[in-house]
């Protein structure tokens, strides 16, 4: 499981709720979670801010 989905599930969030908080369509978020599509750098940064983690952690480059 990727960290985006892991963080969402840990916090009990739905994709629709994340859409409201980030402005990213829930279908696109689902594609990110299922590795169908990869976010651009600015989107990684937005998602990292949303979860209050570093982009490097979210991508899986570091374990914080």
């Amino acid at each position: 499981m990727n960290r985006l989905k892991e963080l969402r599930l840990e916090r009990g969030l739905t994709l629709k709720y994340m859409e409201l908080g980030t402005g990213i369509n829930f279908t696109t978020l689902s594609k990110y979670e299922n590795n169908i599509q990869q976010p651009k750098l600015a989107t990684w940064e937005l998602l990292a801010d949303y979860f209050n983690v570093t982009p490097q952690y979210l991508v899986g480059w570091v374990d914080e």
Side-chain angles (χ1 to χ4, degrees):
M1 179 180 330
N2 70 30
R3 290 199 173 145
L4 179 60
K5 186 172 187 175
E6 183 179 299
L7 287 168
R8 180 178 65 80
L9 294 176
E10 280 177 7
R11 296 171 189 203
L13 304 174
T14 64
L15 288 172
K16 194 65 175 169
Y17 188 84
M18 276 187 63
E19 177 182 25
L20 296 173
T22 64
I24 301 169
N25 184 279
F26 75 94
T27 304
T28 303
L29 290 167
S30 177
K31 289 178 182 179
Y32 296 160
E33 286 188 358
N34 292 294
N35 296 313
I36 295 169
Q37 184 176 333
Q38 290 296 311
K40 295 181 180 179
L41 178 58
T43 305
W44 279 122
E45 292 170 341
L46 172 73
L47 291 167
D49 285 344
Y50 180 77
F51 284 111
N52 198 30
V53 297
T54 65
Q56 294 83 359
Y57 175 79
L58 195 56
V59 173
W61 294 342
V62 296
D63 294 324
E64 289 184 348

